Amino acid sequence: MSAPFDVAVIGAGVMGCSTALHLARAGMKTVLLDRGAICREASGVNAGTLTMQMTRAALVPYALRAHEMWMRMAEWCDGGHVQAVDCPGLSVAFTEHEIAMLEERAHFRRQAGAPIEIVSTARAREIEPGLSDKALLAGHCPIDGFTSAYLTGRAFRPALLNAGVELREDTAVRGIQPGFSIDTEAGELRATRVVLAGGVWLQDMAAWLGITLPIKVLINQLVVTERLPPVMRTVLGVASGLLSLKQYANGTVLIGGGWQGIGDRERGGLAVKPDSFLGNVRLAAHTIPALRDARVVRSWLGLEAETADALPAIGPIPGVPDAWIIGSVHSGYTSGPYMGKLLAQAICGQAPELPLFPIDRLLAKDQAA
Amino acid sequence: MIDIAVLGAGPAGMAAATQAAQRGASVVLFDESPAPGGQVYRAAPAGYAMPRDADRAEGDALRAALAASNAVVRTGHRVWGVGGGPLVPLGEAAAPFRLDALAPDGSNTITEARALVLATGTHERIIPFPGWTLPGVLGLAAATILLKANGVLPGRRVVVAGAGPLLYAVAAKLAKAGATVAAVVDLAATSEWIAALPALMARPDLLARGAAWRASLTLKGVPVLAAHRIVAAEGVGVLQRVRVAPLAGGDYRVFDCDALTIGHGLVPATEATRAFRAAHRYVAESGGWVPVLDEDRRTSIPLLYACGDGSGVRGAAAAPASGRVAALAALRDLGLIDAASHATSRASPAADFARASRAGGAMARMMALRPALVAAIPPETIICRCEGVTRAQIEAAVEDGATAMNQVKQFTRCGMGPCQGRLCGEAAAELVAARVGGREKAGFATGRVPLRPVAMDALLGDFDYADIPVPRPAPI
Ligand SMILES: Cc1cc2nc3c(=O)[nH]c(=O)nc-3n(C[C@H](O)[C@H](O)[C@H](O)COP(=O)(O)OP(=O)(O)OC[C@H]3O[C@@H](n4cnc5c(N)ncnc54)[C@H](O)[C@@H]3O)c2cc1C
Ligand SMILES: Cc1cc2nc3c(=O)[nH]c(=O)nc-3n(C[C@H](O)[C@H](O)[C@H](O)COP(=O)(O)OP(=O)(O)OC[C@H]3O[C@@H](n4cnc5c(N)ncnc54)[C@H](O)[C@@H]3O)c2cc1C
């Protein structure tokens, strides 16, 4: 058998791609495996919102740094990019209850470093002329934006190859033996270290190493319109976080916000739920009334991972030396590239710039090291 | 809830709905057209007297039987949403099928059914060539709709090009309606037509009709070029001429024209079976990807059936029989008829289908995708017209590692526009297939709702903010 890889990263979403890239650039002989194509799960089908106003407060410092990485992706990713757009974001409240929620959430995020200010409807409509006059109050964050997430795999791929990463797509991993011997559909391979980066499939991957790590599966729905004349110019959300709206340069408007559809780990994102579909587009049209005149062209679904406390799983795997995990990051596309960089620092034996999110807290007592 | 919903009121859907209703099932039949008929038997609009021909008579017979049955016919209803059936959370029992349709008044209607028969017909395949997006270039199907439903000619001087019997049908009808047919440009060689003859013998009526079309063209002195293709459509802002060359290569000929009607065959419309995640396979001589069916037209999804050209191109004559077979299977599976009755009832339509399929299958083979046509597309030619994606861009995406249609779509936006790949899908998939080792490998884009673009205004209706069931927010 050939010399082992220094590290095998399993799962080529944004987490796996960024981790693999940074590890390879640090000199490690890296293999990146995915059972499908690069970034064809959550990382290629998500809404691409790079927002501080949906990110959990604890993740704001990470998201701010990652926002910067997305905006300058071509510089660190060998020219690869995802058409990132830097624009302000607004989070609006339509009811008294939402006003309270907006203010509370803005407060915590501001404390975490997000420059969010509460603005009147009049001011919000100067920033976003398309906004409905039914909005009562808004949180305004000048650092916001969005990408065309479907380009993520294409953006990472050349840089990964240039850095010497061996990219093996359509290669499902079936198990890992200590040491590590990695059992794939295309045969065994050996690696000194492993990184599990399997999105919602992290639960299965952790089980290969004897770890019980419950991961909840969210089935997020997205809806896109045909091309429209300009109807908005910011990233728009609502206080509860259950809307994300933006218009791309080509005129299409993407409607998201984490409304739930039908699906699961085994079958993927199967179908929208009629009520969620209707609710989501109504909320969008309530917020940007001009959307009433649009036609919906397509909907789709993707799977997002969530741990028990809805905070990330990033760090060493307790009790299994040289095994690492990364994923389950809320608004994980936003902070993905930075999270991969941090984990790579830790794997290379450096102190990461910001703390990781070790998973000991998520494991039953007898499992935690 | 009703027993059986039928989607598509072409010959297959009309016959399926009629059969099911005659046997006592509650049936609703949907079509977006204003009247039942489908492609070939498209009904004339009110006030327009259509010429009496064989198509008209067969269509009228199916319409009359449908009208005499208890089936509820919802024409002018564009079905944009399909759901239910297997599309339920893991471990839950299958749900009733659900169809969301926009009614003629713009409102949304919801129908739940225990079983669903799909009879959605085909899209026309047009393999791009330089100039194919010029005004004046249109599909054979679009030209027929203009003629049949509106009594409008696509142009005064028309070149008719592509593959299959439609070519001659459209050319003959154009000539009869007063257009000058500048040329008929047939991809098929004369030898292919001769090879198809034995199968066509099963349908002397069709054979006679085809011969009559050809004779009428010969009489009018219309040049018919066999084994030729359109190399380019040219003109300043609008179509003025086409360049035509032999398939095998050789000298161009130029025909002046103000319309080019062109079609390279028919592709089964599988949006709905894809959305239900039914099993599909690629069968070039049936038109492309088709749902996997048993002999009673059951898909891999319980209580979901497919018939007519949407389940594999076999032509208009075979469509009603396949619709009846599907309807009988649904009746049987719902327990509305017993096994013995099913067995006796299905024998005759099953035999009709087998007979009509011989001729239909021969025609479908002639209309199958011709890889050489795709290979001849110049690099800078637009493939996806919604998104402006060229052949070169699709191939660059494959070079960059996209090996299946879903990823090619992500890398290029090919197929992301309003037509959702209905127009470009075939050429794009063939380009990818040529590089990754076949259409099965290249796969197809995941099916999703809406099946057709749907106006938000119609969906939204009147609502208050309080009506929106906003879910619980994530923790801060
Ligand atoms: C619809 C939707 C919208 C979203 N919108 C946003 C947003 O606007 N902003 C934001 O910041 N975040 C958003 N998110 C969240 C974000 O997309 C995810 O947090 C992020 O992409 C997760 O990246 P990942 O690399 O952890 O997982 P994934 O991208 O899911 O990657 C996991 C990979 O592991 C592979 N894999 C699984 N099993 C195996 C195996 N056995 N062997 C080999 N490989 C395997 C999979 O094929 C997959 O490629 C959204 C998520 C969804 C689903
Ligand atoms: C231009 C043209 C000319 C043809 N001429 C001939 C000919 O001369 N002789 C011949 O034998 N064959 C001909 N054919 C082939 C013939 O049309 C088909 O064999 C036949 O119509 C198939 O019947 P069907 O019922 O399967 O589908 P269709 O007749 O195509 O009917 C499908 C119906 O489904 C409806 N539908 C689909 N999706 C939706 C939706 N989401 N919501 C609402 N409605 C929907 C469509 O509006 C359509 O009416 C022709 C085909 C074309 C395209």
Side-chain angles (χ1 to χ4, degrees):
Chain A
M1 198 180 263
S2 57
F5 288 97
D6 293 329
V7 59
V9 179
I10 307 173
V14 66
M15 299 298 171
C17 286
S18 175
T19 307
L21 182 62
H22 288 98
L23 286 172
R25 286 187 176 164
M28 286 204 185
K29 187 179 170 213
T30 307
V31 61
L32 174 59
L33 299 149
D34 202 290
R35 64 169 185 183
I38 183 171
C39 293
R40 265 294 298 150
E41 297 291 349
S43 301
V45 306
N46 70 83
T49 308
L50 307 177
T51 181
M52 303 305 132
Q53 301 203 76
M54 279 169 83
T55 297
R56 295 203 62 189
L59 300 182
V60 164
Y62 303 79
L64 284 168
R65 288 164 175 81
H67 184 279
E68 169 91 10
M69 285 180 83
W70 281 121
M71 292 303 155
R72 311 170 71 121
M73 187 175 191
E75 293 169 26
W76 58 267
C77 203
D78 297 2
H81 68 94
V82 288
Q83 295 176 350
V85 172
D86 200 352
C87 68
L90 288 172
S91 175
V92 304
F94 291 110
T95 64
E96 291 302 323
H97 171 68
E98 288 178 0
I99 287 180
M101 186 162 31
L102 185 73
E103 287 177 330
E104 188 204 4
R105 293 181 161 228
H107 168 77
F108 282 116
R109 291 189 172 114
R110 206 161 33 234
Q111 278 192 332
I116 300 171
E117 51 163 351
I118 301 291
V119 298
S120 67
T121 309
R123 173 77 186 112
R125 293 184 69 194
E126 279 168 27
I127 300 165
E128 176 52 87
L131 178 64
S132 160
D133 58 9
K134 297 201 177 88
L136 300 177
L137 203 66
H140 167 227
C141 184
I143 303 177
D144 208 308
F146 56 89
T147 74
S148 294
Y150 51 77
L151 294 173
T152 312
R154 196 172 199 185
F156 268 110
R157 198 170 195 276
L160 289 166
L161 300 180
N162 293 344
V165 173
E166 194 160 321
L167 175 61
R168 298 204 187 158
E169 296 173 275
D170 298 314
T171 308
V173 174
R174 295 183 294 208
I176 302 176
Q177 299 337 304
F180 295 95
S181 163
I182 297 165
D183 172 28
T184 83
E185 279 177 335
E188 282 304 274
L189 61 89
R190 288 189 302 138
T192 312
R193 303 169 188 82
V194 290
V195 177
L196 307 183
V200 297
W201 299 275
L202 277 178
Q203 179 175 307
D204 310 329
M205 293 185 178
W208 297 335
L209 298 173
I211 303 284
T212 305
L213 176 68
I215 300 284
K216 187 176 160 195
V217 180
L218 306 178
I219 318 292
N220 295 346
Q221 151 200 303
L222 290 174
V223 177
V224 72
T225 71
E226 69 187 340
R227 295 169 187 237
L228 300 173
V231 295
M232 61 184 298
R233 61 188 193 195
T234 59
V235 168
L236 260 182
V238 293
S240 61
L242 287 148
L243 179 69
S244 83
L245 264 184
K246 82 270 296 178
Q247 184 168 27
Y248 286 88
N250 65 13
T252 60
V253 174
L254 186 59
I255 304 171
W259 291 64
Q260 296 296 291
I262 299 163
D264 47 72
R265 259 190 276 272
E266 289 73 41
R267 300 176 300 170
L270 268 193
V272 297
K273 279 187 193 146
D275 292 346
S276 299
F277 182 74
L278 183 61
N280 199 182
V281 296
R282 279 184 164 174
L283 185 54
H286 187 76
T287 309
I288 296 281
L291 285 177
R292 259 205 179 263
D293 299 326
R295 288 196 310 168
V296 168
V297 164
R298 189 167 172 95
S299 66
W300 67 93
L301 303 119
L303 307 190
E304 181 176 5
E306 192 176 276
T307 58
D309 61 6
L311 283 169
I314 305 179
I317 294 181
V320 188
D322 294 320
W324 304 78
I325 190 165
I326 181 166
S328 276
V329 183
H330 194 259
S331 286
Y333 186 73
T334 303
S335 48
Y338 186 69
M339 295 302 190
K341 182 175 161 185
L342 281 186
L343 183 65
Q345 290 170 343
I347 295 173
C348 292
Q350 300 155 15
E353 287 167 22
L354 288 178
L356 302 181
F357 296 83
I359 61 171
D360 308 63
R361 70 186 201 280
L362 300 167
L363 306 181
K365 283 282 169 286
D366 56 343
Q367 282 195 67
Chain B
M1 184 175 10
I2 57 161
D3 293 325
I4 301 176
V6 181
L7 177 51
M14 288 193 285
T18 306
Q19 173 77 85
Q22 282 168 348
R23 301 297 288 266
S26 55
V27 178
V28 180
L29 170 64
F30 290 92
D31 203 294
E32 58 191 328
S33 309
Q39 279 293 357
V40 61
Y41 304 144
R42 187 171 293 279
Y48 169 65
M50 214 152 67
R52 270 215 86 83
D53 59 12
D55 281 355
R56 172 80 193 283
E58 285 159 28
D60 283 350
L62 287 165
R63 271 188 285 268
L66 174 67
S69 79
N70 284 327
V72 175
V73 180
R74 298 233 172 98
T75 46
H77 280 67
R78 167 177 276 229
V79 174
W80 61 268
V82 291
L87 305 179
V88 290
L90 205 60
E92 277 183 23
F97 291 97
R98 166 176 164 146
L99 299 183
D100 281 68
L102 287 190
D105 68 1
S107 64
N108 194 48
T109 67
I110 298 167
T111 305
E112 287 195 325
R114 294 162 70 201
L116 176 59
V117 177
L118 298 169
T120 49
T122 54
H123 320 299
E124 192 157 47
R125 177 190 302 117
I126 300 181
I127 301 298
F129 49 90
W132 75 290
T133 54
L134 273 178
V137 180
L138 71 170
L140 289 174
T144 336
I145 294 175
L146 281 180
L147 267 173
K148 284 195 186 176
N150 307 326
V152 172
L153 288 175
R156 287 174 196 285
R157 210 180 144 72
V158 188
V159 170
V160 181
L166 285 184
L167 212 53
Y168 297 95
V170 170
K173 284 173 187 173
L174 281 172
K176 196 170 167 202
T180 303
V181 177
V184 175
V185 182
D186 191 343
L187 282 174
T190 313
S191 57
E192 291 177 60
W193 282 102
I194 293 172
L197 275 180
L200 293 180
M201 291 300 181
R203 288 297 308 258
D205 51 334
L206 294 186
L207 201 56
R209 207 194 299 176
W213 288 332
R214 282 200 154 201
S216 78
L217 295 170
T218 313
L219 258 177
K220 291 206 161 71
V222 174
V224 175
L225 307 175
H228 275 62
R229 69 181 174 103
I230 302 290
V231 174
E234 297 170 349
V236 184
V238 43
L239 178 71
Q240 288 164 320
R241 73 195 84 82
V242 295
R243 266 170 204 279
V244 176
L247 271 181
D251 288 345
Y252 296 119
R253 285 174 67 175
V254 175
F255 290 94
D256 289 333
C257 56
D258 58 0
L260 166 65
T261 68
I262 186 160
H264 298 124
L266 301 174
V267 186
T270 54
E271 292 97 327
T273 42
R274 281 188 281 137
F276 281 115
R277 305 283 175 103
H280 289 74
R281 60 199 179 107
Y282 185 76
V283 187
E285 58 277 16
S286 289
W289 285 98
V290 289
V292 175
L293 299 179
D294 75 2
E295 56 181 16
D296 282 307
R297 316 203 73 78
R298 295 181 182 93
T299 68
S300 62
I301 306 293
L303 298 173
L304 181 69
Y305 311 80
C307 57
D309 280 1
S311 60
V313 177
R314 287 294 177 275
S322 82
R324 289 183 191 112
V325 171
L328 288 165
L331 288 162
R332 173 72 201 113
D333 296 344
L334 290 175
L336 296 172
I337 58 176
D338 62 25
S341 167
H342 177 249
T344 25
S345 306
R346 81 176 290 284
S348 147
D352 288 348
F353 178 73
R355 202 172 317 115
S357 283
R358 276 203 75 206
M363 291 300 95
R365 272 194 293 284
M366 200 165 295
M367 291 192 285
L369 185 138
R370 292 170 191 247
L373 213 53
V374 178
I377 301 172
E380 293 317 315
T381 301
I382 299 249
I383 304 290
C384 167
R385 67 194 287 183
C386 298
E387 299 292 331
V389 183
T390 64
R391 169 178 185 159
Q393 288 170 325
I394 290 171
E395 291 181 336
V398 179
E399 289 299 306
D400 279 358
T403 56
M405 288 309 287
N406 272 320
Q407 187 76 319
V408 168
K409 185 172 161 177
Q410 305 266 90
F411 282 14
T412 64
R413 290 194 58 86
C414 177
M416 283 199 192
C419 97
Q420 287 289 300
R422 272 185 281 274
L423 238 92
C424 59
E426 280 281 288
E430 200 62 27
L431 289 170
V432 175
R435 276 165 182 69
V436 304
R439 289 290 290 270
E440 293 276 356
K441 273 218 160 125
F444 51 78
T446 310
R448 298 279 189 201
V449 302
L451 302 183
R452 300 274 193 276
V454 55
M456 285 262 257
D457 197 45
L459 284 183
L460 297 170
D462 286 329
F463 68 94
D464 283 331
Y465 187 62
D467 297 337
I468 306 176
V470 182
R472 215 166 47 84
I476 172 76

